[in-house]
Amino acid sequence: MNKLFTLRKPIHFISLSSTNDYALKQIKTENVIEGTVFIADFQSKGKGQSNNYWESEPAKNLLISVVLCPKFLHPSQQFDLNKVISLALYDFTKDFIKDESVSIKWPNDIYINNKKVGGILIENIISGNLFEYAVVGIGININQSVFRSNAPNPISLKNITGKTYDLNECYMVLADFLEIRYSQLILGQQNKIHSDYLNSLLYYNTLSNFRKNEEIFSGTITGVNEFGKLLIKNNDNIIEDFDFKEVEFLLNHSF
Ligand code: BTN
């Protein structure tokens, strides 16, 4: 496909507190060009979703932040950006693990079976109606064998295949998928993006168990609305929407 967008040559650091924090600081102090990429071998304060720590041993995994300026999106369309970044990580993971075990766990975790191989933390800078910057933080577990933090279910590509990967080559593959998927967004291919996202979603159209507060219920994921809320049809055939953290997946451990 024609790429309308290319990433710049990455700026590499041996160690940073967080590539996202570094990118945000740069944006505040100078003019950062769209497509700028910061990569670190190690982060002392790697940020995960919900203020969690993102664990990564030095020089074992991909830790990157990409600066985007999605001014063509209205801030209310933020979830479209989330979809294309999730799809790029999904495409990347599928490139190494060529089977059905790879999926996107809503909203933006990359799973192999019931374990998390990659995560995304997008931090947006919005002024009024203008989507000025998105700092797209991406962590993908590549060569780390043992995870020590209390992250619930981490896994790496190496855990699955037993192989050790060249991180520069991995980055090149990821960059290609990011360019392709972000180009789709620039081209306004929202329908394709949406159907690819749904078709990659863990437990899509599958009766599954969820927990909201203390209550366990079964239901079927029927979609995701334009604001990124998860749509679950319950046993009474009523479709309810859920915000991030409002509902927890009870992962199927029968793999
Ligand atoms: C998650 O919890 O799923 C999101 C993890 C995002 C981690 C990446 S690593 C590179 C970038 N810099 C950070 O501090 N966090 C993101």
Side-chain angles (χ1 to χ4, degrees):
M1 92 158 267
N2 275 345
K3 282 195 217 161
L4 296 183
F5 168 76
T6 44
L7 292 169
R8 295 167 66 83
K9 189 169 176 295
I11 301 166
H12 179 250
F13 296 86
I14 304 289
S15 177
L16 280 179
S17 59
S18 148
T19 55
N20 268 30
D21 283 351
Y22 186 83
L24 288 165
K25 201 175 80 201
Q26 291 300 104
I27 289 168
K28 279 197 192 113
T29 52
E30 58 190 70
N31 181 29
V32 180
I33 297 170
E34 176 164 57
T36 299
V37 181
F38 301 105
I39 297 195
D41 290 345
F42 178 71
Q43 297 182 124
S44 52
K45 286 193 182 140
K47 298 195 293 184
Q49 296 280 356
S50 312
N51 288 328
N52 289 327
Y53 169 66
W54 184 258
E55 176 189 352
S56 179
E57 283 176 7
K60 289 278 170 84
N61 305 311
L62 281 182
L63 304 169
I64 76 171
S65 293
V66 177
V67 178
L68 298 175
C69 304
K71 295 191 167 72
F72 56 92
L73 289 180
H74 187 271
S76 64
Q77 297 170 300
Q78 286 174 38
F79 199 73
D80 287 349
L81 179 63
N82 179 78
K83 283 184 209 161
V84 288
I85 303 301
S86 304
L87 282 167
L89 267 69
Y90 170 84
D91 297 338
F92 167 87
T93 310
K94 277 286 246 193
D95 210 63
F96 294 89
I97 313 285
K98 298 186 191 299
D99 64 29
E100 300 310 308
S101 61
V102 181
S103 63
I104 299 171
K105 177 171 171 278
W106 175 84
N108 56 14
D109 290 340
I110 307 303
Y111 267 54
I112 302 174
N113 285 330
N114 55 354
K115 299 209 163 173
K116 178 164 166 174
V117 69
I120 297 167
L121 179 66
I122 304 180
E123 299 188 77
N124 295 322
I125 300 178
I126 288 163
S127 43
N129 276 338
L130 189 66
F131 200 158
E132 278 206 90
Y133 288 101
V135 171
V136 176
I138 296 170
I140 308 180
N141 300 327
I142 308 285
N143 290 325
Q144 184 163 338
S145 303
V146 179
F147 292 86
R148 292 177 178 82
S149 71
N150 57 359
N153 48 4
I155 201 164
S156 66
L157 290 186
K158 184 175 186 169
N159 286 148
I160 299 284
T161 65
K163 293 182 194 159
T164 301
Y165 297 90
D166 179 314
L167 289 182
N168 288 325
E169 281 169 23
C170 287
Y171 172 74
M172 298 305 282
V173 175
L174 177 65
D176 196 42
F177 286 123
L178 286 168
E179 289 169 352
I180 292 170
R181 288 293 184 178
Y182 191 61
S183 295
Q184 291 176 348
L185 193 57
I186 297 172
L187 282 166
Q189 297 179 349
Q190 260 83 356
N191 290 345
K192 174 179 171 43
I193 292 165
H194 189 65
S195 67
D196 285 357
Y197 180 80
L198 288 186
N199 288 325
S200 315
L201 214 51
L202 183 67
Y203 300 155
Y204 179 53
N205 275 337
T206 309
L207 189 64
S208 316
N209 291 322
F210 302 89
R211 178 165 31 218
K212 183 181 172 172
N213 303 323
E214 291 309 304
E215 191 200 334
I216 292 176
F217 65 97
S218 59
T220 305
I221 295 175
T222 57
V224 173
N225 76 11
E226 60 182 304
F227 305 111
K229 286 190 171 191
L230 186 69
L231 305 176
I232 302 177
K233 185 165 78 179
N234 65 22
N235 289 337
D236 301 321
N237 274 341
I238 294 168
I239 297 179
E240 279 188 86
D241 58 50
F242 295 89
D243 250 331
F244 181 51
K245 288 284 160 200
E246 207 185 344
V247 66
E248 186 193 340
F249 288 57
L250 298 179
L251 292 169
N252 181 351
H253 286 277
S254 64
F255 296 106

